[in-house]
Amino acid sequence: MLTFIRGIAVPKQAVETVMSDIRTRGLIESGGTWRMSQQPPADPDDLFVKTDLSTKDTRNPNLPTVPAICACGEEDGAAYYAWKHNRTNVNDTPVLIEFTAPVEAAAVDGKDFLYTAFQMGDPDRASDILERAFGKSVLQYANKAWARKEGQHDIAMCDLAIHDPNVVAAHHASTVVLAGRHGTVFRNAFTIRMPVRPEAIVRVWSPDVELPRPSPSVSLRDILQ
């Protein structure tokens, strides 16, 4: 089991009700503005060796999708979403939710770093960074992505990589602070399959002090062609 932390923001007058509801019912629906889903590949080993792999294989509308939520593997990443990204004039109070989930329920959220690295990364500069941030297993997918672009083969390879349990576990353990697209700064980011049952909730709290945002040690733009 891995531990994750999700950061949300809610109206001040609803904080205690929301936190109590999460403790009692768990996380049972995606809700909010940013609705996520996962589409785990049915036969990842077969798809990995498929010579004409494309997004038609990994994003097939006939494959089932499951609702998911975003979460981080550490508190300061989740705190950014609770204090900044998700806060509005109405939802003005940060809430953090710590919970556990099996590695198989998690996928790397690759939209702000990994997909771009697969599509436009310079292998000489990107390989070491990807290994440090996503583990050695990610390179088998990245090398195939860089070698062939037809049919969105590179994107399809990333679709496989984000669901690889070895890649998920390595990214969860990473301490490398990444600067990704749209000004994002994070160590790790995931989508977690819903629902998260009440027994998986470790704690729910509204922090009083905002954690400082970590300084990035690697920028996406530095590894692109």
Side-chain angles (χ1 to χ4, degrees):
M1 300 290 280
L2 299 177
T3 298
F4 299 94
I5 303 178
R6 174 166 169 77
I8 63 173
V10 302
K12 184 175 182 179
Q13 66 272 21
V15 168
E16 294 302 326
T17 299
V18 169
M19 293 195 299
S20 177
D21 184 69
I22 292 171
R23 294 185 188 107
T24 302
R25 303 173 65 202
L27 298 168
I28 59 174
E29 58 185 30
S30 56
T33 303
W34 302 97
R35 297 180 183 273
M36 306 293 293
S37 64
Q38 288 183 7
Q39 192 176 48
D43 300 296
D45 292 338
D46 291 341
L47 292 176
F48 179 74
V49 298
K50 191 172 187 287
T51 56
D52 59 346
L53 177 72
S54 74
T55 51
K56 292 180 180 179
D57 300 300
T58 58
R59 302 185 180 190
N60 189 322
N62 295 321
L63 289 175
T65 59
V66 292
I69 54 170
C70 292
C72 298
E74 33 70 44
E75 185 176 340
D76 55 4
Y80 165 76
Y81 287 93
W83 284 96
K84 301 290 187 186
H85 187 81
N86 293 329
R87 284 181 86 189
T88 65
N89 290 335
V90 175
N91 297 317
D92 56 358
T93 304
V95 171
L96 296 175
I97 306 138
E98 182 178 349
F99 62 95
T100 60
V103 66
E104 295 81 9
V108 173
D109 185 349
K111 66 179 180 295
D112 288 324
F113 197 95
L114 197 59
Y115 276 97
T116 304
F118 270 47
Q119 291 174 271
M120 298 186 289
D122 179 341
D124 291 335
R125 288 182 288 167
S127 294
D128 178 65
I129 299 305
L130 292 191
E131 182 174 351
R132 287 168 55 199
F134 300 93
K136 190 172 184 178
S137 292
V138 80
L139 294 181
Q140 63 183 331
Y141 302 99
N143 287 330
K144 283 199 169 191
W146 293 327
R148 183 172 179 270
K149 301 295 182 181
E150 295 86 353
Q152 295 187 315
H153 179 264
D154 47 1
I155 296 174
M157 272 295 159
C158 199
D159 288 340
L160 298 182
I162 64 171
H163 290 285
D164 185 321
N166 292 320
V167 175
V168 171
H171 188 47
H172 186 275
S174 174
T175 59
V176 179
V177 181
L178 304 172
R181 297 169 65 238
H182 307 306
T184 53
V185 176
F186 59 97
R187 289 187 180 89
N188 46 50
F190 304 92
T191 63
I192 313 297
R193 205 173 305 162
M194 300 290 280
V196 176
R197 302 293 183 188
E199 55 269 25
I201 303 296
V202 177
R203 59 175 176 149
V204 185
W205 74 104
S206 181
D208 296 322
V209 179
E210 182 178 358
L211 294 176
R213 199 176 188 190
S215 298
S217 54
V218 174
S219 174
L220 176 63
R221 65 175 178 267
D222 294 335
I223 66 170
L224 301 183
Q225 294 180 348

